[in-house]
Amino acid sequence: MMKALLCHEFGSTENLKLTTAESPKPQKGQLVISVKACGVNFPDSLIIHNKYQFKPNLPFAPGGEVAGIVKEIGEGVEHLKVGDRVFSLTGWGGFAEEVLADGYKTLPIPEGMDYITAATTMYTCGTSLHALKQRAQLKEGETLLVLGAAGGVGLAAVQIGKLMGAKVIAAASTDEKLELCKTKGADEVINYSTEDLRERIKALTDNRGADVVYDPVGDRFSEPAVRSLAWQGRYLVVGFAGGTPASIPLNLPLLKGASIVGVFWGAFAQKQPKDSMANFQQILAWIKSGQLNQHIHKEYLLNEGAQAIQDLMERKVMGKNVVVIE
């Protein structure tokens, strides 16, 4: 038996209840991880509201990004052994003492990396490097605008954009968030709660516009961001933390010779595993060298996991929240 924070019916975080559940058993190609830490991500809020691409059967625990120790291994998992320190993308189930994981989505934690770093790196950095490298093909010297820049994927995009040689403009909703973005390498900042987003982009780019827009927010910021693209710019659709996806007039990309590019990192990792693995090797190298690091907003205990998601939904989080399993 194990403790788990289970969702018994779709809806608000109030539906998440700490309870005792059966320990999972691995099937072929799977393993069981004793969870030490679980990163909190925007899809966790979507999945408990039944609004995500993947829909687990009730009851389930949210939490799709975990780090811990291999407890049990199923047939066919040959690159790991019981007792190994690992990190994994599970989709859900991580807000628990034990979680079932696919072997092909689970990797050994590099020597010297702690569980919290391992549980807060794969999703945000994986998404951002894939977006900027494979989807935007960001080039050295180009201008990158990051919306929602103080969030988990946003801060990762700020840092990775700088490492790829771009000029980075970070946009966020408070001055406190923008100060954090500056510490992560942002060259310029925009407070879109108090400043006109489009006018500030014009001023910061000498009316040229941004070559790449990284947008995990959507909502009312999408159209002015597309209007602020440079010639042959690329607008990256990363997510919709701000609410409903926006409707973009299609004459805008036509007039700018621009591209609206979808970013679905989970599908990329599944369909292009070699490219995804190469991305992770680069991410781990940057982390090891100290060039890339996650900002941890707060650590929560398992019985506080619902609050960790609620804080994320209310946009109180800078960087990443993480649930620590004692």
Side-chain angles (χ1 to χ4, degrees):
M1 302 295 288
M2 66 170 183
K3 291 180 181 178
L5 192 68
L6 295 182
C7 177
H8 288 276
E9 59 178 305
F10 294 111
S12 73
T13 53
E14 294 178 358
N15 292 340
L16 298 175
K17 304 297 181 184
L18 185 64
T19 186
T20 300
E22 292 286 338
S23 295
K25 292 294 180 183
Q27 302 299 314
K28 185 176 181 180
Q30 296 180 319
L31 65 149
V32 174
I33 299 171
S34 295
V35 181
K36 296 295 184 182
C38 182
V40 184
N41 298 291
F42 187 65
D44 296 325
S45 68
L46 296 177
I47 204 166
I48 64 173
H49 286 87
N50 200 26
K51 295 181 178 179
Y52 198 50
Q53 294 98 320
F54 306 112
K55 302 182 185 298
N57 295 324
L58 295 167
F60 69 94
E65 182 183 29
V66 305
I69 300 171
V70 176
K71 179 188 176 185
E72 191 175 351
I73 290 180
E75 179 187 351
V77 180
E78 299 178 351
H79 67 295
L80 299 167
K81 64 181 184 301
V82 172
D84 281 352
R85 298 168 69 248
V86 294
F87 58 128
S88 182
L89 293 169
T90 58
W92 59 86
F95 285 18
E97 291 179 328
E98 298 173 12
V99 66
L100 195 63
D102 291 319
Y104 76 94
K105 295 180 182 177
T106 306
L107 297 171
I109 296 176
E111 186 176 351
M113 181 180 289
D114 59 77
Y115 289 117
I116 289 176
T117 301
T120 57
T121 295
M122 296 180 78
Y123 184 91
T124 52
C125 294
T127 296
S128 295
L129 181 55
H130 166 54
L132 298 178
K133 181 180 179 181
Q134 278 85 19
R135 304 304 290 146
Q137 298 182 25
L138 181 67
K139 300 176 182 63
E140 185 174 356
E142 288 190 318
T143 297
L144 166 66
L145 170 67
V146 181
L147 303 181
V153 291
L155 280 179
V158 168
Q159 293 180 82
I160 291 172
K162 286 300 296 180
L163 288 166
M164 293 177 69
K167 174 187 176 181
V168 177
I169 302 172
S173 60
T174 71
D175 290 340
E176 181 186 9
K177 290 179 178 180
L178 293 173
E179 285 301 318
L180 175 60
C181 294
K182 289 178 183 178
T183 70
K184 297 298 184 181
D187 297 290
E188 303 287 354
V189 296
I190 301 172
N191 184 331
Y192 45 51
S193 292
T194 61
E195 299 176 290
D196 184 289
L197 178 63
R198 196 171 175 213
E199 290 303 316
R200 282 290 288 151
I201 294 169
K202 286 182 180 179
L204 294 173
T205 62
D206 295 326
N207 288 319
R208 182 179 176 276
D211 297 291
V212 175
V213 173
Y214 181 100
D215 186 5
V217 181
D219 198 35
R220 62 188 177 92
F221 301 111
S222 296
E223 185 171 328
V226 174
R227 289 183 181 275
S228 300
L229 285 169
W231 173 249
Q232 295 189 338
R234 290 85 77 199
Y235 171 81
L236 299 172
V237 183
V238 182
F240 312 105
T244 306
S247 297
I248 302 297
L250 290 180
N251 64 309
L252 298 179
L254 183 153
L255 293 171
K256 292 174 175 292
S259 303
I260 296 177
V261 186
V263 179
F264 188 0
W265 172 65
F268 161 75
Q270 184 176 10
K271 296 177 183 296
Q272 297 175 240
K274 291 184 178 179
D275 293 330
S276 180
M277 185 59 66
N279 281 4
F280 271 117
Q281 295 303 321
Q282 178 63 78
I283 289 165
L284 293 174
W286 280 332
I287 292 172
K288 186 176 181 180
S289 67
Q291 295 174 283
L292 180 63
N293 54 80
Q294 186 63 264
H295 176 80
I296 303 301
H297 180 79
K298 186 176 178 180
E299 297 177 20
Y300 299 75
L301 298 178
L302 182 56
N303 63 356
E304 300 170 321
Q307 189 62 51
I309 296 177
Q310 188 65 35
D311 288 348
L312 184 67
M313 291 170 58
E314 294 176 2
R315 304 186 71 179
K316 296 178 179 178
V317 178
M318 295 190 293
K320 287 286 286 280
N321 279 347
V322 59
V323 172
V324 178
I325 314 297
E326 291 187 321

